[in-house]
Each structure stands twice: as C-alpha cells, then as structure tokens.
C-alpha cells in the first residue's frame, strides 16, 4: 500500500501549537542557518526575502522554525545537515521535512499576523507549506498548513513589496485537514479523467 494511503493522524500538527526550543537547540539552528547563508552567498543564490532584513538573520530564523517542526514531529533533523543550496528551478528543493510521505516546506516569520508567502513562478516539487511564527527565540507557534495548489493560485496574489502568493493565517489548516483536502482534490481530478476517457 503506498505511503500516502496510510496517512496517520497528526494531532500535534494543529493550528496554534506552541513549540519550545532549548537555548542549545536555538544555538544549533543558528549555526545551521549561518552556514546555509554563507553557502548560498558563495553559490550566488539570490536572496528572495520579502523585507530588508539581514539574509543571515532570515536563514537563522528559517532554521529555527524547521528545527521546531522536526521537534514537534519527533524526527531527527538530518535534512538540516545538507548544505548544498536547494533550487526550485533545478528541482532539488523537495521541502524541509517529510511528514507521512508529503514534502513540507516551512516558512517562518516574526510577525504575529504574518502571512505564508511564496514567490510568483512555477509550482515547486513540494506538497504542503507550513507557517511558523517566532514569538521569541525559544517559543514558536505553528500557524497551520496549505497545499501547494492552494498557495500557487492566481486568487492568492498580493503585493508585499513585490507580487507574491499569500495565504492569511485564518485560511491555514491543521496538517490532517490539509492532507484530506489534497486527497479529495486528487480523487476528484482522477474521477474527472476517468469520465473524460
């Protein structure tokens, strides 16, 4: 039976789940983020941040949010030790963590009402996006998830310094609800193809 047909319930991945990192975990994530930032700049990877923040701080924030999700999922963060730059264009970015066989990309913000944002362009090879808000260096709040099809939708385009896809926090879902929505839309598209044949 394929992995995606054996989806387990993930009660820990609901909206507004609080996740706490220890000071050592924060230091570890900051080291990873700093190393990623250096590697990205050496490889001439374009900085796609939406604010005028320091790229190193953005990469450290992202690493802390990823570690928080690995921690709440009780998964060893082995993907965090891969320092080669990921690329949507080269199809090497499959997300930050795999949960129940789905590639999940974690977006992070320090803004309490921050949105889940993605650059305009082709859909990445990712299934689900998640948003984490950093309340302080030790406290992270999982705001929810949305599917790649839901995010990469013309109705989601907004201007946040530049045109981006944006999902507001009230539109995000628990992981289980997001997976149900993906499976439902996949079933409808399969049923539609059968009807057209």
């Amino acid at each position: 039976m394929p992995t995606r047909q054996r989806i387990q319930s993930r009660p820990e991945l609901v909206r507004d789940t609080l996740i706490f990192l220890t000071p050592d975990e924060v230091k570890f994530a900051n080291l990873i983020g700093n190393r990623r930032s250096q590697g990205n700049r050496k490889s001439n990877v374009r900085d796609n941040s939406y604010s005028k923040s320091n790229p190193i701080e953005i990469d450290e924030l992202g690493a802390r949010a990823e570690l928080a999700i690995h921690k709440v999922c009780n998964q060893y963060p082995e993907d965090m030790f891969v320092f080669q730059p990921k690329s949507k264009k080269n199809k090497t970015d499959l997300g930050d963590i795999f949960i129940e066989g789905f590639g999940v990309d974690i977006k992070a913000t320090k803004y309490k009402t921050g949105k889940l944002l993605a650059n305009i362009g082709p859909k990445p090879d990712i299934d689900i996006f998640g948003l984490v808000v950093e309340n302080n260096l030790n406290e992270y709040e999982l705001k929810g998830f949305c599917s790649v099809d839901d995010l990469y939708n013309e109705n989601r385009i907004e201007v946040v310094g530049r045109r981006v896809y944006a999902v507001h926090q009230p539109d995000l879902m628990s992981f289980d609800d997001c997976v149900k929505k993906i499976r439902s839309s996949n079933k409808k598209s399969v049923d539609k193809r059968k009807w057209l044949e």
Side-chain angles (χ1 to χ4, degrees):
M1 181 180 272
T3 305
R4 291 181 190 221
Q5 291 180 358
R6 292 185 277 112
I7 303 302
Q8 309 242 340
S9 177
R10 285 294 191 152
E12 71 277 18
L13 296 177
V14 295
R15 296 185 65 224
D16 301 324
T17 295
L18 285 177
I19 308 159
F20 297 92
L21 295 182
T22 67
D24 286 338
E25 288 168 333
V26 170
K27 285 179 191 171
F28 166 74
N30 285 343
L31 285 170
I32 297 289
N34 193 297
R35 175 68 174 82
R36 283 181 183 170
S37 188
Q38 291 173 11
N40 287 342
R41 301 304 82 82
K42 283 181 185 171
S43 300
N44 295 321
V45 174
R46 199 171 118 217
D47 177 19
N48 284 326
S49 62
Y50 304 100
S51 67
K52 305 223 186 251
S53 299
N54 179 336
I56 292 173
E57 289 176 11
I58 297 290
D59 288 330
E60 289 176 348
L61 170 62
R64 292 191 300 266
E66 285 175 40
L67 186 59
I69 293 298
H70 277 89
K71 185 173 184 175
V72 79
C73 289
N74 199 26
Q75 284 190 29
Y76 183 76
E78 67 182 288
D79 288 347
M80 293 184 75
F81 295 101
V82 177
F83 296 113
Q84 290 91 1
K86 296 177 179 180
S87 166
K88 179 167 68 170
K89 180 181 172 186
N90 297 331
K91 300 196 178 284
T92 57
D93 187 357
L94 303 176
D96 299 315
I97 184 171
F98 281 89
I99 305 171
E100 301 300 331
F102 290 90
V104 181
D105 192 67
I106 303 301
K107 301 291 186 184
T109 183
K110 291 185 177 189
Y111 299 105
K112 301 286 182 213
T113 58
K115 302 171 217 170
L116 195 158
L117 304 174
N119 292 315
I120 300 289
K123 283 185 207 173
D125 290 334
I126 292 166
D127 302 301
I128 295 172
F129 286 87
L131 178 65
V132 171
V133 172
E134 181 181 73
N135 293 333
N136 60 57
L137 277 178
N138 300 106
E139 184 181 289
Y140 298 81
E141 195 167 351
L142 173 58
K143 288 307 195 177
F145 299 90
C146 80
S147 70
V148 68
D149 291 331
D150 194 9
L151 179 58
Y152 280 73
N153 178 326
E154 284 188 19
N155 298 328
R156 297 278 190 198
I157 295 176
E158 292 185 17
V159 177
V160 181
R162 65 178 186 263
R163 286 168 39 93
V164 295
Y165 296 111
V167 177
H168 295 251
Q169 290 182 21
D171 295 331
L172 296 173
M173 304 172 249
S174 71
F175 183 80
D176 288 353
D177 288 343
C178 188
V179 167
K180 286 175 191 168
K181 187 172 181 181
I182 291 170
R183 294 179 84 191
S184 172
S185 67
N186 286 347
K187 184 178 184 316
K188 286 176 187 169
S189 63
V190 168
D191 290 346
K192 185 176 180 184
R193 281 199 305 270
K194 285 181 182 175
W195 182 78
L196 291 171
E197 289 174 352

